[in-house]
Amino acid sequence: QLQLQESGPGLVKPSETLSLTCTVSGGSISSISYHWGWIRQPPGKGLEWIGDIYYTVSAYYNPSLESRVTISVDTSKNQFSLNLNSVTAADTAVYYCARDSTMAGLRAFDIWGRGTMVTVSS
Amino acid sequence: DIQMTQSPSSLSASIGDKVTITCRASQSISRYLNWYQQKPGKAPKLLIYGASSLQSGVPSRFSGSGSGTDFTLTISSLQPEDFATYYCQRSYSTPMYSFGQGTKLEI
């Protein structure tokens, strides 16, 4: 059964870069059937899509974050990563990684990691 | 950018009630609409994709309908484990997503 696990620092200083990794187990990240995405949720608030990556070919980003975000894939480690630079307190959130599947031509996040809390503070 | 608006933002109901949550898109999104359930401290769980397709393993008391700009999630008979926050999500053929603000369903 496919599982996703986020990892990375729980505390990041303002203006620095937030870096998280999602490890995929029980399946291959190289499958052409899936995209892999990041979603975040500030404390007490709703969900915000950050971006998606397809294999190592294409990345798609939320326009509101696009200037600060990079998502990449490491197929040798079966991992994908999120880098968000120039962070502020507004980037404090639980960060989730998720599998973006296509079912009958329709896309949805069908498998999620448990999430990791990242606080931006000096 | 396409905006997703859910209503109501919160809802009180009782065990056995039928509940309907609405999601409206600022422009037509055909049937590219998903519904998720989130419980406190947990990751969201996919319930419905493509506006009306039930995700594998999700109880049949959950159903979705709609197309274009107006969509609904219906729970036919509330169970104790259904009290949670529900989110709609716009999908598309290429990944460019947005979520509604959420509907908190309380006892």
Side-chain angles (χ1 to χ4, degrees), chain A residues 81-97:
Chain A
S81 298
L82 168 70
N83 280 346
L84 179 67
N85 60 37
S86 304
V87 298
T88 69
D91 295 309
T92 294
V94 175
Y95 285 75
Y96 295 100
C97 60

PDB file of all heavy atoms in Angstrom, chain A residues 81-97:
ATOM      1  N   SER A  81      10.500  16.912  -3.414  1.00  0.00           N
ATOM      2  CA  SER A  81      10.857  17.935  -2.442  1.00  0.00           C
ATOM      3  C   SER A  81      10.197  19.267  -2.752  1.00  0.00           C
ATOM      4  O   SER A  81       9.838  19.559  -3.893  1.00  0.00           O
ATOM      5  CB  SER A  81      12.378  18.131  -2.421  1.00  0.00           C
ATOM      6  OG  SER A  81      13.027  16.938  -2.015  1.00  0.00           O
ATOM      7  N   LEU A  82      10.075  20.067  -1.692  1.00  0.00           N
ATOM      8  CA  LEU A  82       9.532  21.417  -1.776  1.00  0.00           C
ATOM      9  C   LEU A  82      10.559  22.389  -1.233  1.00  0.00           C
ATOM     10  O   LEU A  82      11.082  22.192  -0.128  1.00  0.00           O
ATOM     11  CB  LEU A  82       8.250  21.518  -0.951  1.00  0.00           C
ATOM     12  CG  LEU A  82       7.699  22.921  -0.700  1.00  0.00           C
ATOM     13  CD1 LEU A  82       7.147  23.520  -1.985  1.00  0.00           C
ATOM     14  CD2 LEU A  82       6.625  22.888   0.385  1.00  0.00           C
ATOM     15  N   ASN A  83      10.851  23.430  -1.978  1.00  0.00           N
ATOM     16  CA  ASN A  83      11.641  24.552  -1.500  1.00  0.00           C
ATOM     17  C   ASN A  83      10.814  25.817  -1.632  1.00  0.00           C
ATOM     18  O   ASN A  83      10.287  26.113  -2.712  1.00  0.00           O
ATOM     19  CB  ASN A  83      12.937  24.718  -2.302  1.00  0.00           C
ATOM     20  CG  ASN A  83      14.020  23.756  -1.861  1.00  0.00           C
ATOM     21  OD1 ASN A  83      13.928  23.134  -0.800  1.00  0.00           O
ATOM     22  ND2 ASN A  83      15.031  23.604  -2.667  1.00  0.00           N
ATOM     23  N   LEU A  84      10.682  26.540  -0.525  1.00  0.00           N
ATOM     24  CA  LEU A  84       9.953  27.806  -0.506  1.00  0.00           C
ATOM     25  C   LEU A  84      10.887  28.853   0.096  1.00  0.00           C
ATOM     26  O   LEU A  84      11.267  28.743   1.267  1.00  0.00           O
ATOM     27  CB  LEU A  84       8.683  27.671   0.325  1.00  0.00           C
ATOM     28  CG  LEU A  84       7.822  28.923   0.473  1.00  0.00           C
ATOM     29  CD1 LEU A  84       7.215  29.320  -0.869  1.00  0.00           C
ATOM     30  CD2 LEU A  84       6.714  28.697   1.509  1.00  0.00           C
ATOM     31  N   ASN A  85      11.298  29.837  -0.708  1.00  0.00           N
ATOM     32  CA  ASN A  85      12.289  30.788  -0.215  1.00  0.00           C
ATOM     33  C   ASN A  85      11.644  32.070   0.318  1.00  0.00           C
ATOM     34  O   ASN A  85      10.436  32.288   0.188  1.00  0.00           O
ATOM     35  CB  ASN A  85      13.326  31.094  -1.295  1.00  0.00           C
ATOM     36  CG  ASN A  85      12.724  31.697  -2.551  1.00  0.00           C
ATOM     37  OD1 ASN A  85      11.780  32.488  -2.491  1.00  0.00           O
ATOM     38  ND2 ASN A  85      13.270  31.329  -3.703  1.00  0.00           N
ATOM     39  N   SER A  86      12.468  32.852   0.977  1.00  0.00           N
ATOM     40  CA  SER A  86      12.045  34.156   1.531  1.00  0.00           C
ATOM     41  C   SER A  86      10.798  34.024   2.390  1.00  0.00           C
ATOM     42  O   SER A  86       9.832  34.774   2.225  1.00  0.00           O
ATOM     43  CB  SER A  86      11.808  35.159   0.394  1.00  0.00           C
ATOM     44  OG  SER A  86      12.948  35.297  -0.414  1.00  0.00           O
ATOM     45  N   VAL A  87      10.810  33.085   3.308  1.00  0.00           N
ATOM     46  CA  VAL A  87       9.606  32.815   4.098  1.00  0.00           C
ATOM     47  C   VAL A  87       9.346  33.920   5.116  1.00  0.00           C
ATOM     48  O   VAL A  87      10.259  34.608   5.576  1.00  0.00           O
ATOM     49  CB  VAL A  87       9.679  31.441   4.805  1.00  0.00           C
ATOM     50  CG1 VAL A  87       9.776  30.323   3.783  1.00  0.00           C
ATOM     51  CG2 VAL A  87      10.837  31.395   5.785  1.00  0.00           C
ATOM     52  N   THR A  88       8.062  34.073   5.446  1.00  0.00           N
ATOM     53  CA  THR A  88       7.606  34.966   6.500  1.00  0.00           C
ATOM     54  C   THR A  88       6.684  34.173   7.424  1.00  0.00           C
ATOM     55  O   THR A  88       6.380  33.007   7.179  1.00  0.00           O
ATOM     56  CB  THR A  88       6.845  36.158   5.925  1.00  0.00           C
ATOM     57  OG1 THR A  88       5.591  35.687   5.393  1.00  0.00           O
ATOM     58  CG2 THR A  88       7.639  36.854   4.823  1.00  0.00           C
ATOM     59  N   ALA A  89       6.202  34.842   8.460  1.00  0.00           N
ATOM     60  CA  ALA A  89       5.305  34.187   9.404  1.00  0.00           C
ATOM     61  C   ALA A  89       4.048  33.654   8.709  1.00  0.00           C
ATOM     62  O   ALA A  89       3.432  32.683   9.163  1.00  0.00           O
ATOM     63  CB  ALA A  89       4.919  35.159  10.514  1.00  0.00           C
ATOM     64  N   ALA A  90       3.673  34.274   7.599  1.00  0.00           N
ATOM     65  CA  ALA A  90       2.490  33.829   6.857  1.00  0.00           C
ATOM     66  C   ALA A  90       2.668  32.443   6.236  1.00  0.00           C
ATOM     67  O   ALA A  90       1.687  31.825   5.797  1.00  0.00           O
ATOM     68  CB  ALA A  90       2.146  34.841   5.769  1.00  0.00           C
ATOM     69  N   ASP A  91       3.899  31.956   6.194  1.00  0.00           N
ATOM     70  CA  ASP A  91       4.158  30.620   5.648  1.00  0.00           C
ATOM     71  C   ASP A  91       4.099  29.537   6.723  1.00  0.00           C
ATOM     72  O   ASP A  91       4.286  28.360   6.423  1.00  0.00           O
ATOM     73  CB  ASP A  91       5.524  30.597   4.958  1.00  0.00           C
ATOM     74  CG  ASP A  91       5.582  31.504   3.739  1.00  0.00           C
ATOM     75  OD1 ASP A  91       4.672  31.389   2.885  1.00  0.00           O
ATOM     76  OD2 ASP A  91       6.518  32.331   3.656  1.00  0.00           O
ATOM     77  N   THR A  92       3.840  29.929   7.964  1.00  0.00           N
ATOM     78  CA  THR A  92       3.648  28.958   9.037  1.00  0.00           C
ATOM     79  C   THR A  92       2.410  28.124   8.748  1.00  0.00           C
ATOM     80  O   THR A  92       1.312  28.672   8.552  1.00  0.00           O
ATOM     81  CB  THR A  92       3.499  29.671  10.390  1.00  0.00           C
ATOM     82  OG1 THR A  92       4.737  30.315  10.719  1.00  0.00           O
ATOM     83  CG2 THR A  92       3.130  28.692  11.488  1.00  0.00           C
ATOM     84  N   ALA A  93       2.573  26.805   8.711  1.00  0.00           N
ATOM     85  CA  ALA A  93       1.459  25.938   8.318  1.00  0.00           C
ATOM     86  C   ALA A  93       1.829  24.475   8.524  1.00  0.00           C
ATOM     87  O   ALA A  93       3.003  24.139   8.728  1.00  0.00           O
ATOM     88  CB  ALA A  93       1.105  26.157   6.843  1.00  0.00           C
ATOM     89  N   VAL A  94       0.821  23.614   8.449  1.00  0.00           N
ATOM     90  CA  VAL A  94       1.052  22.190   8.248  1.00  0.00           C
ATOM     91  C   VAL A  94       1.206  21.975   6.749  1.00  0.00           C
ATOM     92  O   VAL A  94       0.358  22.422   5.968  1.00  0.00           O
ATOM     93  CB  VAL A  94      -0.103  21.349   8.801  1.00  0.00           C
ATOM     94  CG1 VAL A  94       0.123  19.869   8.470  1.00  0.00           C
ATOM     95  CG2 VAL A  94      -0.245  21.538  10.306  1.00  0.00           C
ATOM     96  N   TYR A  95       2.276  21.305   6.368  1.00  0.00           N
ATOM     97  CA  TYR A  95       2.551  21.032   4.963  1.00  0.00           C
ATOM     98  C   TYR A  95       2.292  19.543   4.692  1.00  0.00           C
ATOM     99  O   TYR A  95       2.841  18.680   5.377  1.00  0.00           O
ATOM    100  CB  TYR A  95       3.990  21.405   4.612  1.00  0.00           C
ATOM    101  CG  TYR A  95       4.193  22.898   4.508  1.00  0.00           C
ATOM    102  CD1 TYR A  95       4.261  23.690   5.652  1.00  0.00           C
ATOM    103  CD2 TYR A  95       4.281  23.528   3.272  1.00  0.00           C
ATOM    104  CE1 TYR A  95       4.413  25.069   5.559  1.00  0.00           C
ATOM    105  CE2 TYR A  95       4.446  24.905   3.168  1.00  0.00           C
ATOM    106  CZ  TYR A  95       4.498  25.668   4.319  1.00  0.00           C
ATOM    107  OH  TYR A  95       4.646  27.036   4.224  1.00  0.00           O
ATOM    108  N   TYR A  96       1.449  19.294   3.693  1.00  0.00           N
ATOM    109  CA  TYR A  96       1.118  17.936   3.290  1.00  0.00           C
ATOM    110  C   TYR A  96       1.694  17.644   1.906  1.00  0.00           C
ATOM    111  O   TYR A  96       1.652  18.506   1.018  1.00  0.00           O
ATOM    112  CB  TYR A  96      -0.395  17.749   3.183  1.00  0.00           C
ATOM    113  CG  TYR A  96      -1.178  17.881   4.463  1.00  0.00           C
ATOM    114  CD1 TYR A  96      -1.856  19.059   4.780  1.00  0.00           C
ATOM    115  CD2 TYR A  96      -1.277  16.815   5.353  1.00  0.00           C
ATOM    116  CE1 TYR A  96      -2.601  19.170   5.942  1.00  0.00           C
ATOM    117  CE2 TYR A  96      -2.019  16.918   6.518  1.00  0.00           C
ATOM    118  CZ  TYR A  96      -2.670  18.103   6.798  1.00  0.00           C
ATOM    119  OH  TYR A  96      -3.413  18.206   7.960  1.00  0.00           O
ATOM    120  N   CYS A  97       2.177  16.411   1.726  1.00  0.00           N
ATOM    121  CA  CYS A  97       2.432  15.932   0.375  1.00  0.00           C
ATOM    122  C   CYS A  97       1.319  14.948   0.012  1.00  0.00           C
ATOM    123  O   CYS A  97       0.710  14.322   0.899  1.00  0.00           O
ATOM    124  CB  CYS A  97       3.805  15.303   0.233  1.00  0.00           C
ATOM    125  SG  CYS A  97       4.161  13.874   1.281  1.00  0.00           S
TER     126      CYS A  97
END
